[in-house]
Amino acid sequence: MASALDPPPTGPTVGPFPIAGLVRKARRIAGLGQRQMARFAKVAPSTVGRVETGAMTPSLAVLERLFGAAGLYLAVVDQDGRVIQPMADWDDTRDGAGRRYPSHLDTILDPEPGDWWADIYGLARPPETFHRCPTDREARRRRSQWEVRVAQYRNVPPPKDMRERY
């Protein structure tokens, strides 16, 4: 059990988000009073007070404005504390029905022969596609990650399951 003397966790946490404490800390970092922060964030002064006491859970938009008033930004981090960047949004890359491709798939622009799953059927190749086979997708991702590491560290052997293929 944690005591009052234990230091607070420094890395990412899982569980209730300490919004009230973060807003108070943001205000302290910026040296702002509640009214000043409210004016910069374009919210009512009572909103800042209610958020800081935990009486109100702000929307994401209000939370962004409160942090923005203090010159801070919200970020998403993984378990190792690395900042996660958002995916690029390509408005001109859609399927034949105008839908976005699934975000969990790697979209291939201008596929080469053999890149499209339906090449074996002799169908006309689309301007963009993705790999359907999950094991093939994972092998390609591992290959890509390995190539990045080789470029950085040199002489790193490929992953075991890729040595036969590449």
Side-chain angles (χ1 to χ4, degrees):
M1 176 160 218
S3 73
L5 300 176
D6 290 337
T10 56
T13 60
V14 177
F17 197 72
I19 293 172
L22 287 172
V23 171
R24 285 193 311 269
K25 181 72 171 196
R27 201 163 53 80
R28 177 175 287 176
I29 288 170
L32 298 172
Q34 285 184 348
R35 287 188 185 136
Q36 291 172 308
M37 179 178 251
R39 185 172 58 240
F40 291 141
K42 295 182 172 70
V43 298
S46 62
T47 300
V48 176
R50 289 176 35 217
V51 169
E52 287 187 358
T53 61
M56 174 186 165
T57 301
S59 67
L60 186 57
V62 169
L63 192 60
E64 282 181 315
R65 291 199 326 247
L66 291 172
F67 288 148
L72 302 174
Y73 301 92
L74 291 174
V76 175
V77 297
D78 64 10
Q79 293 174 342
D80 298 322
R82 292 181 299 242
V83 175
I84 303 300
Q85 298 295 327
M87 290 181 70
D89 197 11
W90 300 332
D91 286 331
D92 60 341
T93 305
R94 307 265 177 153
D95 68 6
R99 300 170 297 210
R100 295 182 193 277
Y101 283 100
S103 61
H104 68 285
L105 301 174
D106 297 322
T107 306
I108 303 166
L109 301 177
D110 300 324
E112 300 287 325
D115 277 345
W116 188 39
W117 60 270
D119 277 342
I120 60 173
Y121 301 112
L123 300 174
R125 193 174 307 111
E128 61 272 337
T129 187
F130 54 88
H131 295 287
R132 253 192 193 186
C133 174
T135 54
D136 189 42
R137 281 196 316 264
E138 283 306 311
R140 288 174 189 271
R141 284 184 183 145
R142 281 192 300 277
R143 173 70 181 190
S144 175
Q145 291 167 349
W146 171 72
E147 287 172 348
V148 169
R149 281 195 295 276
V150 166
Q152 290 175 345
Y153 304 114
R154 306 279 180 233
N155 301 325
V156 177
K160 287 180 185 179
D161 62 342
M162 292 175 20
R163 288 187 185 141
E164 305 85 39
R165 290 182 170 172
Y166 299 100

